[in-house]
Amino acid sequence: MNSHLSAKSPPRPSVVQTLAHLLERLERSPVPVDPEQYRTVVVHLVQEFASVKPDGTLEAVLDSYPAAAELYENLQYQHAGLCRSALEFSMNAELRAKDVIDRARRTANQ
């Protein structure tokens, strides 16, 4: 009798996860990065974001890779605002922007 144990191979990282990891490495690189390489990774990641469902797996990837999360949030901004930023952070950013605009108006009117 020949018994065969099937070993499950570990799940392969998704394309989104791989690109998110690469983008993070490019963002954090201590040496200058080739702009065309950076652009290629971003464009490919944007295309992948368009083809995946916003589920727990995507959330886990975005939680692990801040550069990809920022890109995703910028892509979703027109529909969801700062959808991945903490509400307090978003509110403070809006208040700071309002203060800067008000100061600029006062300076222009003087």
Side-chain angles (χ1 to χ4, degrees):
M1 183 174 222
N2 189 3
S3 69
H4 177 354
L5 296 175
S6 66
K8 277 189 173 178
S9 58
R12 291 178 30 184
S14 70
V15 175
V16 170
Q17 182 180 5
T18 301
L19 290 167
H21 178 77
L22 183 54
L23 179 60
E24 197 67 34
R25 289 187 63 189
L26 292 172
E27 283 279 333
R28 310 276 178 247
S29 175
V31 296
V33 175
D34 175 46
E36 189 56 35
Q37 180 186 20
Y38 186 91
R39 182 183 170 293
T40 300
V41 170
V42 168
V43 167
H44 194 170
L45 186 53
V46 167
Q47 292 168 346
E48 289 300 317
F49 280 152
S51 69
V52 297
K53 293 180 184 176
D55 61 7
T57 302
L58 178 61
E59 289 297 317
V61 169
L62 298 177
D63 287 345
S64 299
Y65 300 103
E70 185 175 348
L71 176 62
Y72 181 82
E73 184 171 61
N74 287 335
L75 293 168
Q76 302 303 315
Y77 186 80
Q78 67 181 354
H79 304 292
L82 298 173
C83 59
R84 296 198 43 81
S85 297
L87 182 57
E88 183 179 351
F89 175 80
S90 300
M91 185 178 70
N92 287 337
E94 185 175 336
L95 291 173
R96 283 192 306 270
K98 183 181 179 301
D99 288 342
V100 169
I101 292 167
D102 289 343
R103 274 186 267 142
R105 281 187 183 141
R106 284 193 300 270
T107 302
N109 291 333
Q110 289 181 356

